[in-house]
Amino acid sequence: MSVNETVEITGHLMDHGILSRVLDDIREYAGDYTIDRFDVGRETDDASHAVITVIADDDEALQRLLMRLQTRGVNQVDPGVASVAEADRDGVFPDRFYSTTNLETRVRIDGVWLEVPNPEMDCGLILERDADGRPARVFTLPMSDVRTGMLVITGADGVRVTVPAPDASAEAFGFMESEVSSEKPQAVLVRQVADGMREAKAEGKKVLWVGGPGVVHTGAAPAMVAMVNAGYVDVLFAGNALATHDIESSLYGTSLGVDLAMGRGVEHGHEHHIRAINTIRKSGSIRQAVDDGVLTGGIMHALVTEGKQFVLVGSVRDDGPLPDVYTDVIEGQRAMRAELTDVGFCLMVATMLHSVATGNILPASIPLVCVDINPATVTKLADRGSSQARGIVTDVGLFLEQLAVELVPAYRRS
């Protein structure tokens, strides 16, 4: 016998193609549906509302379908209460665990709705009770961190998600809601990114940057330094490469052995990056190298002297690596998550892997802009569930130069 559930969704269902994607999901999961009610907004700003009965072969299939639909902002009309199962081993969720989205999430336990702080996709939901057995909090937890005895939310019952409502930031970036394109006015794009950063800072929020070595290779490090010093870079997520080539640039004036001033290779320049790493390892850390007067310029120097945070997570291809680099990616993920508190804006520049990794742990409510010469970077972000990602396809060096001029009027590259 088949089972069914009545769900609802509100938003710009027609002009953004949301309803079509919802119905496609139902069919993809071998389900069926009937549209019970559909109220179409009359004006451009009016939201539409749909009530749909979804049908599946059994309860397990229905729960998986309901969880899939919640990634679109679809909720049960009568959500009921959440079910809980105890984890019976470390690093393993119970069967039928609720797979999270990055949307604002609430969970109903014992008749009480609990808000989930910093929702993150592809995690589980953990329930903690107080000493009297009452529900105290629900939070997301990655699979690797679950421990035996933890209470894990199972199924989609008792869970509601909310798609971020349009706000000033979303309106500012409405120009980028079409397919990723390089045919946008560059000055306008830069100004709107700058406005997003200013708004975050005005609200007391942090600006998170995710950077790749292209920032240094394109000669944009001085522009980024100016923005660090002006307070527009609060946290940096990067790999071994950005930090290494930035330090190489400061110590030797080269990046990957290429003279950044002359644009040509120098004798023995291929050794510079590994010698730069060795210099920092001798000091023990990037911060110690700054304190020792060994490192006197560049992005990493600016972050240390301005008291800003950085998390460097490496890969199997890294040389060295620098002593500050997390070589255990699980520990690196934990370090990144620890820096997400109060982030109000995220800018990703010239890095696909770190951009996707960061997009995976960011709540959908945080405005996210990705700048890359390769449109596939932004496409991959959206494909991985970071629906809030907006893309600018351009040369990163030129973009950061213009952004520095917009945010720091005194900055002018000679």
Side-chain angles (χ1 to χ4, degrees):
M1 295 179 61
S2 62
V3 293
N4 64 76
E5 185 66 59
T6 304
V7 299
E8 61 183 346
I9 182 172
T10 300
H12 294 280
L13 307 182
M14 301 296 289
D15 47 351
H16 290 179
I18 298 172
L19 182 59
S20 176
R21 290 195 287 272
V22 167
L23 301 183
D24 286 345
D25 285 344
I26 295 173
R27 292 309 234 172
E28 183 180 334
Y29 275 64
D32 203 352
Y33 65 88
T34 60
I35 299 178
D36 305 325
R37 180 178 175 182
F38 189 25
D39 299 322
V40 181
R42 291 179 176 271
E43 304 296 332
T44 303
D45 295 334
D46 291 344
S48 299
H49 179 251
V51 177
I52 305 169
T53 296
V54 295
I55 306 163
D57 290 338
D58 53 46
D59 186 63
E60 182 176 356
L62 179 63
Q63 292 298 316
R64 290 193 63 198
L65 174 55
L66 293 174
M67 281 187 267
R68 170 60 182 174
L69 295 182
Q70 282 198 321
T71 67
R72 309 286 189 193
V74 178
N75 290 298
Q76 298 177 52
V77 172
D78 180 8
V81 296
S83 299
V84 177
E86 190 172 297
D88 61 4
R89 68 181 72 179
D90 291 351
V92 181
F93 288 130
D95 293 340
R96 302 180 67 180
F97 71 94
Y98 179 84
S99 178
T100 58
T101 72
N102 60 358
L103 302 174
E104 180 183 318
T105 304
R106 293 183 300 149
V107 181
R108 192 180 189 189
I109 301 289
D110 299 345
V112 178
W113 283 103
L114 298 177
E115 194 83 22
V116 177
N118 296 319
E120 178 183 336
M121 70 175 76
D122 300 331
C123 290
L125 289 173
I126 305 300
L127 167 66
E128 284 189 351
R129 296 184 180 274
D130 62 20
D132 297 322
R134 294 186 296 256
R137 68 172 183 140
V138 176
F139 59 95
T140 58
L141 192 73
M143 184 181 302
S144 58
D145 290 349
V146 69
R147 294 293 177 262
T148 301
M150 284 184 170
L151 301 178
V152 183
I153 305 300
T154 57
D157 291 343
V159 181
R160 292 190 68 90
V161 299
T162 304
V163 176
D167 55 20
S169 297
E171 184 175 320
F173 292 100
F175 69 94
M176 289 185 284
E177 292 195 355
S178 60
E179 289 296 315
V180 179
S181 174
S182 58
E183 298 178 357
K184 309 282 186 181
Q186 178 90 352
V188 175
L189 302 184
V190 170
R191 191 175 307 118
Q192 292 179 339
V193 171
D195 287 343
M197 289 185 169
R198 293 189 188 104
E199 182 178 334
K201 298 300 291 184
E203 295 175 352
K205 301 289 188 178
K206 296 187 294 189
V207 176
L208 166 65
W209 285 59
V210 185
V215 173
V216 180
H217 299 333
T218 58
M224 187 168 177
V225 168
M227 289 182 278
V228 172
N229 293 336
Y232 288 104
V233 183
D234 295 297
V235 184
L236 171 67
F237 291 171
N240 185 63
L242 183 149
T244 293
H245 299 308
D246 172 67
I247 293 167
E248 175 193 343
S249 173
S250 177
L251 296 179
Y252 299 102
T254 61
S255 177
L256 281 178
V258 175
D259 188 312
L260 291 172
M262 305 299 294
R264 61 176 180 238
V266 300
E267 187 175 2
H268 302 300
H270 66 283
E271 301 175 1
H272 287 176
H273 79 284
I274 198 67
R275 294 191 181 281
I277 293 171
N278 194 60
T279 298
I280 302 302
R281 290 175 72 93
K282 185 177 180 180
S283 289
S285 70
I286 295 173
R287 287 183 171 85
Q288 191 59 50
V290 173
D291 291 343
D292 292 345
V294 172
L295 182 62
T296 59
I299 297 168
M300 304 311 297
H301 173 270
L303 290 169
V304 171
T305 56
E306 294 292 338
K308 306 303 182 181
Q309 300 302 311
F310 57 86
V311 180
L312 307 178
V313 183
S315 69
V316 70
R317 65 187 178 184
D318 287 341
D319 292 321
L322 290 164
D324 303 79
V325 172
Y326 287 91
T327 55
D328 183 325
V329 294
I330 300 300
E331 290 299 325
Q333 289 176 359
R334 291 171 181 151
M336 292 166 67
R337 289 187 180 97
E339 296 298 336
L340 295 184
T341 304
D342 293 330
V343 167
F345 189 92
C346 179
L347 178 63
M348 300 176 169
V349 286
T351 173
M352 179 178 288
L353 294 179
H354 281 79
S355 292
V356 171
T358 304
N360 287 350
I361 64 176
L362 278 179
S365 57
I366 297 177
L368 165 57
V369 178
C370 181
V371 183
D372 204 289
I373 198 67
N374 182 3
T377 300
V378 185
T379 302
K380 187 174 286 291
L381 265 176
D383 288 345
R384 284 289 297 125
S386 300
S387 58
Q388 81 272 35
R390 305 295 182 237
I392 301 174
V393 180
T394 188
D395 177 84
V396 169
L398 296 176
F399 181 87
L400 293 183
E401 287 286 331
Q402 294 177 12
L403 184 61
V405 170
E406 180 70 29
L407 289 171
V408 191
Y411 173 79
R412 287 292 187 276
R413 186 79 182 275
S414 59

